[in-house]
Amino acid sequence: MNFVIEHSYLIPLLPLLGALAAGLLGAKVLKHNSHWPIWIGVGASALMAIVLLVGMLTEHHEPGRMMYFMSHWFDWIVAGDEKTGIFNAAAGAFIDPLTAVMLAVVCGIGFLITVFSKGYMHGESGYFRFFAYLGLFISAMTILVMGDNLIMLYLGWEGVGLCSYLLIGYYYEKPAAREAAKKAFIVNRIGDFGFALGILLTFYCFGTVSFFGTGPGSNTGFLEKALHGIANPGTEVYVFWIPFCLMLGAFGKSAQFPLSVWLPDAMEGPTPVSALIHAATMVTAGVYMIVRLGTLFVGNSNAMITIAVIGAFTAIWAATIALRQSDLKKVFAYSTVSQLGFMFVGVAVLAPVAAVFHLITHAFFKALLFLSSGVVMHATGGELDMCKMSGLKRRLPKTRILMLIGCLALSGFPLLSGFWSKDEIVHAAGGKSLVLGAVMLFTSLLTAYYTFRLYFRVFEGPEKIPGGDHHHGLSQGDSESHGPAAQAHHNPEPLSMMLPLAILAIGAVFAGVINLPFAAGVREHALGHFLQQSPSFAMAARVATAKYGTLTDTDKLGLGQEPTSHVVEVAPLVIGGGAALIGIALAFVLHLQNRAKADELAGRFGSVTRVLDAKYWVDEIYQALIVEPARALGRLFWWFDRVIVGGASFMIGVIPQIGGAALKFSTQRGYLQGYAVSMLACLVLILLWMFM
Amino acid sequence: MNVTQLIIPELTLLAAAALLFLMGGSNAPKTRLLAPVVALLAMVGALVASLIGQRTGVRMDDTGSLAVTALSVYIKSISIGVGALFVLLAWPTSRDGASNRSISFSTETSEYFALLLLAITGMCVVASANSLPTLFLGIELASIPTYIMVTMSRPHQQAQEAGVKYFFLGALSAAMMLLGMSYLFGVTGEMRLDHIIDVLRRPADGPGIGGSLLMLAVLLMMMSFLFKLAAVPLHFYAGDVYQGAATPVTAAISFIPKIAGMTALIKLLYVAGAGTWALDPKLMKLVWIIAVLTMTVGNVLGLLQYNVKRVLAYSSIAHSGYLLVGLATLVHVKAPEQRGDALAAIAFYMLAYGVMNVAVFGVLMLLPAKVPAPARTAETYDDLAGAGWRHPVLGVVMALGCFSLIGIPATAGFFGKLYLLKPAIQSGNTALVWLAVLTMINAAISAGYYLKIVTAMWSKSDGAGTEAIRDTAHDSAYDLGHQAPATERSVPVLAAIALSAAGILAAGIVFPLTGAIYRAAASATAWLADGPR
Amino acid sequence: MPDVFTNIALQHYLIVGALMFAIGMIGFMCRRNLIVMFLCSELMLQGVAINFIAFGAFWGKLSGQAFVIFILAIAAAEAALALAIIVLLFRQKHTVDSQAFRELRG
Amino acid sequence: MVDPQTAFPVVISSLLAEVAGTSAQAATGPSAASAITSPVSPGAVVALCIVAGLATWLMLPGKREIAIRRVGAVILTAAALISAALLMRWTAAQGGMGAYFWIFSAIALVSSIRVITHTKPVYSALYFVLTVFATAGLFVLMWAEFMAAALVLIYAGAILITYVFVIMLASEAAAIGAGDNPAGTIPPEQDGISRSPLLASAVGFVLAGLLVYLILDKRNEIHRDVPHAATVAIVNQSGDTAHGDKAPGDTGHREELASAPALGKELVENHSINLQLSAILLTLAMVGAITLARRRVIVSEQDRLASVETVVVPGTPTDDNPHSILVYGTTNPRHKAYPEN
């Protein structure tokens, strides 16, 4: 572990080197072996991350002591003076349990997905490009979770944003992909504007951008300053707004309402990308950021309520849209938006541990689900419309089992990972507000329903394979959407694709073990106890204690503290499990037993269905309220630019040219003595001017 | 102090130059091939000797002719360091060691490198000169070899025309400098700069300082140094000379005399201000005007050119203007720390400019001309057309160099301009703020021709017909000579390009490195506090 | 310091030096023969030498004379080079007219 | 203010007095002279410079008749005489200058004017020799005896010989080229016609006027440590002081200035580094000159056609001396111009 901490710079560097190797050599040298540098780079990083996590887990823990390591790489940007505060964005790592957990998730799942991608992307024209982007992404994501100041965080943040943009637009020949990439980029800019503003405000108020100065305890980091309520004089009023600005960034990246519109469209990217970036890792960056900066947020109840409301609304809103989607990946995309809402609610109700717990389990099962649907897509020649397929279980038996596991985990089927993590959030939400709890519970039910609607539609029932009678239903066309090259895939479930899926499935089943509410072989609330040692959690807990007086047991659990009593609360588990089972049962009835019934029901509630089908017309509202006015403004600016600015710059361009021509033909005529005369005449003129 | 200890770098260079002169007596191709190695080793040795030199305080020899200060050590180090790149650029690659693609030494390879070493020595002497004759001889030692280098660099009439123009006007400027020195000596009665400062510091009712004659002396010397800088109104030669000389020589003459002149100018104004920069307001105004005129005229002249070397000549005039912006700031600001900033900015810019220059000229050297001739590589926009597609790496480096010369962020040039403008803006002096604004406008104008170079390199022209021209022209162009074919690869030049490109990028992106270089430059400002004593 | 050389005497010599410099300068600017041009630059150096000797005598210092030695050395060096370049140019165009060499311009 | 016209008789008398070796007290006493800032009024300087500039312009080689150039010479002489007279009058008022100064400086300036106005380069060079001799005379007046000798030896003896060689070479070849000008009566264009003479003389004389004005301006007077009002020493060629007290140590100092050993000591002790630097410069100039003279030139096709074939006399013996340097070089680039063995 010490090795990893000492050489923590290797974690982002190795994938970056891999990406460079793949990007520079891929086109000419490596070609179909372009995955190797990424495998090696990401694999090494994953190994380091695992070693780090295990090392930190086995580290002796004393209650109340924070565990962290700081690793300084180099001074990056240093500016300013004592008066205004020194802007010191050092490149360095801050490693605490939260970082370790995030690194393990990012690198571990990232590695699994790079392995999967080899089989999935085989034969694509931009094979090396894909892997180079992937390596770059992992590198940026690790910087994001390791950075010890806001600037590093922002660097990683923008880095993953860039990779996301590049990967969504991977099939850039396809207009939809281009549009989706643009949309993701622009919507994220709105969020990043808020984030950047938040960083500036933070520096303005606290005079630093480091989370923890030389270490927790000293007052040099802005989190400690926030903890002790120290801000630059005269800036206290702005401290209140910092969380709101940062929140905007988090909502953008994590696709919360109303900045959620980009995520469903982002499914235009290759499926492994959807799994890695748009389900498991990047989109959770917003949650990570709020958890990391919890000290700033917890004390601000307005901000917490805002997050809770937005999160809960997004959760239920996206879940309802998912009810009517027929595209596999779109369902999962909306599901992701919804689950991210869960995480935000978790953060907002003082249960960051639950949020991180859900983040981990979600990473497993959502990656599994996406990759499984990728296998489906692979086998059906790029077809994803669940109305066109049915009963694939015979064609894709392994995939069916994996998918089933994923769906069960997502819907919160008892004893699977999603069950534990989701119910913890629902429970914590219910503890804060019954309405909030009820909404989350209902959303859980919806989740179970739409998940199994998908499963029953696709894998169960009478066999119907899209794309005609070709073996395995493989059709040649539609190569643009996922595009396996023309060679025949005789085995739709190759080992290189199944193996990562199997590992993810194991994770989806058993990941809940890490934070069980009771001791069962492992310690109860193990994750909570582990994260409790993170300065971010400990300090947030301290702020919460100061703000709300004594914390309840639930709150303590949520913040990773030792609860006063160790009673397992069975009721929330039962209620949560029940909701999941009801949802599954409903889906079973409507989508396996009697599919006509479902259509009939849909018809009966025609208006609701239309609203849901149209996704609440969010895109249209955006178009009317934002895009069109912006376009009109753009036209105005274009005119201004062309006539006024263009005219001015034309003058700026032309005047020097005229001057140049005049000088060129008058003074640079090539006569040696002409030069001498000019020089001396100027000399004499200068002398005259000086002495007159 | 024993003089030998002070001038180890110079002695190293001189010894190597003497050895090269002796080697010039041999006629074996092997000797010629050995010459650059000797030169490079001498440069490296001198660089090491200079770098380990003491940085603080002033060390003088017994006669007081030399005073090694922090500024001297810095100038010596950068001039020798960049000088090593010039050795790489001029590295003979033909089998007989008589030429590379853009320079032809005939049989005088050893002599060429000896002259290069001597020019660098001259620059070092200027950097540590503390008396008028030493300053004069140092400037001449930095200049006279360059006259010869220009003339001998190519067997074309152009080179000789460039040489004669450069030489004659240089002699004129030397005469001006001498006239100025005679008056400076006359009004103070001293030859040593520190003694002159002492005289000028005496109270006004003591022995006089000759009133306007002192100003006359300063002006005449200043004009001569401005000639070395190719500053307006003494810039006329630059375009012709740079165009006529072989490309490696152009690279050298756009750096060596410029740095020597700038160093001498700083010293002169320091002395004229009696060590406290108490300059006549009119003189300060003059520096301001010359700075503005220099960058503007340079940039404006660069716009309407056909020959890229000529463009770069005018660009070098503009860059002299930027250096003079630093000088104007230096003489205008009042606070000592701002003065330090301004001097450090000048020092940083010298190095940045040298490195950028090597990059662009190096690329020009490696690209073939459309109409081949001995010792002629790409010079015109036509030659460059589409070259980026044929030689992507060179195209990228050229773009990098041009971006850096414009001052686009993430390059060394950006930080160079940033440091130059920072003290000007911070000073709050209206004249300096205007200077900063004009500098930025000039940077925008300069983009006009730099981007033209980049565009030409990456234009879609396929260079069709080049091969055919080359074939027909081959006989007539090569019958006289010993020229190596133009397709030959030059590892040393590539190394120089790679080094300079890495330098540009590293200084532009890795902020700590830029900071380190800047701090090294700022160490040169210790001289401001120490004085030349 | 012994006052062997007065301001008045000094000024006379300085005027001679200045006039010689100016005359040389005029010749440099308008005589087209490259050889004569360089001769004129030597004339300018002569003017400077007179200045140095005069100032040296005025201050009673030998360094003025010493400087003139260096000026002579440089003048000799430059003359040698100038004549070499002129010979080189003459071989090309068979003329020493400075106006003939303007291939480089613009 | 001194008006040139009224001053003229006084000047003549003082000039005569100077030549006679006596110092005449002029009409204006020292007290009157000290009241003005400059002994010569700025207006006079400007007027004289304009006249001299115009005269020089007339004298410079050009397409004009020879008579006009002579008119220019006359005007220039007049202007020179007037300014000399002004200076002399002032000098006389202060105590006078030795006659040798006037003679040497007159020779030096007149011959330097001839350097730039003569249409034959050889004559220019010879006039330059004369200038050098006169300058050497001035040096002797300033006790720089060694420097005077060195100047004559180096300039007149060494440098100028080279010039004359090159001039001869060039004019010889040019004369062969210019077939229709057998006697060389009409000077070649580069010698016969000046380039922008008016502008050049304007610039030159503005500079000259400015320098003269600044030198004479009393505000620019250079002060030394010792009070000098009481010791107005007038120095003539023999070193006698005509007026005032002889300062203590005066002769010794003069002897030191005039002593070659002292100069040598000065050079070695205080200028050792400079001495070495100039040695390096001379070496490099030598090598450089050889390098340049040996360069082969690729003459462009049109130049080759335009130039006349050099006539080679059949009987010219070839140079077999291995140590001589061939100007034209060999065609084989791999060899030095001279044989290896």
Side-chain angles (χ1 to χ4, degrees), chain C residues 18-84:
Chain C
L19 287 176
M20 206 179 266
F21 188 91
I23 291 169
M25 214 170 88
I26 295 171
F28 192 91
M29 283 187 278
C30 65
R31 290 307 303 267
R32 285 164 51 182
N33 189 325
L34 286 171
I35 305 170
V36 179
M37 274 176 76
F38 215 80
L39 212 54
C40 291
S41 89
E42 305 282 357
L43 207 54
M44 292 159 79
L45 293 184
Q46 288 284 301
V48 174
I50 292 177
N51 270 2
F52 266 111
I53 298 277
F55 279 125
F58 178 72
W59 289 102
K61 287 189 175 173
L62 280 164
S63 45
Q65 294 187 30
F67 206 132
V68 174
I69 289 187
F70 305 133
I71 295 179
L72 285 188
I74 295 298
E78 285 191 343
L81 284 173
L83 294 175

Side-chain angles (χ1 to χ4, degrees), chain B residues 332-488:
Chain B
H332 272 87
V333 293
K334 296 281 180 288
E337 60 272 16
Q338 282 179 351
R339 233 171 239 147
D341 281 354
L343 186 57
I346 297 174
F348 182 87
Y349 206 85
M350 286 175 177
L351 179 59
Y353 172 69
V355 173
M356 308 187 268
N357 223 22
V358 169
V360 285
F361 280 115
V363 173
L364 276 188
M365 272 184 66
L366 287 186
L367 297 173
K370 289 237 157 109
V371 182
R376 186 180 187 280
T377 44
E379 285 192 10
T380 61
Y381 284 120
D382 269 1
D383 293 343
L384 288 186
W389 300 105
R390 293 190 292 275
H391 312 277
V393 176
L394 295 182
V396 168
V397 173
M398 185 59 132
L400 185 66
C402 286
F403 289 158
S404 184
L405 286 165
I406 300 173
I408 285 177
T411 56
F414 169 73
F415 284 103
K417 284 212 176 62
L418 187 73
Y419 290 138
L420 275 180
L421 297 186
K422 204 182 94 188
I425 293 170
Q426 276 181 347
S427 69
N429 185 326
T430 323
L432 290 185
V433 173
W434 271 108
L435 193 62
V437 171
L438 289 170
T439 310
M440 285 182 235
I441 292 175
N442 265 291
I445 298 176
S446 74
Y449 53 84
Y450 289 128
L451 293 182
K452 204 167 151 191
I453 297 176
V454 179
T455 327
M457 282 200 85
W458 293 99
S459 67
K460 279 289 181 189
S461 155
D462 55 349
T466 313
E467 295 301 322
I469 295 170
R470 188 170 292 148
D471 286 345
T472 52
H474 189 272
D475 294 337
S476 62
Y478 287 98
D479 58 349
L480 285 161
H482 44 282
Q483 292 303 316
T487 49
E488 175 191 0

Side-chain angles (χ1 to χ4, degrees), chain B residues 103-128:
Chain B
I103 189 168
S104 160
F105 309 107
S106 179
T107 48
E108 280 88 14
T109 313
S110 314
E111 282 86 343
Y112 175 87
F113 286 104
L115 292 172
L116 183 60
L117 292 183
L118 286 175
I120 305 275
T121 314
M123 205 144 82
C124 295
V125 171
V126 172
S128 46

Side-chain angles (χ1 to χ4, degrees), chain A residues 511-547:
Chain A
V513 169
I514 61 176
N515 203 27
L516 289 179
F518 47 81
V522 293
R523 189 178 176 195
E524 78 276 17
H525 298 297
L527 183 68
H529 288 299
F530 183 50
L531 288 178
Q532 182 197 344
Q533 302 164 65
S534 158
S536 282
F537 282 80
M539 283 159 55
R542 248 192 273 170
V543 173
T545 318
K547 174 99 181 166

Side-chain angles (χ1 to χ4, degrees), chain A residues 128 138 305 317 360 372 377 536 621 691:
Chain A
F128 74 97
I138 304 266
I305 290 170
W317 170 77
I360 296 167
S372 305
M377 196 167 157
S536 282
I621 291 168
F691 293 115

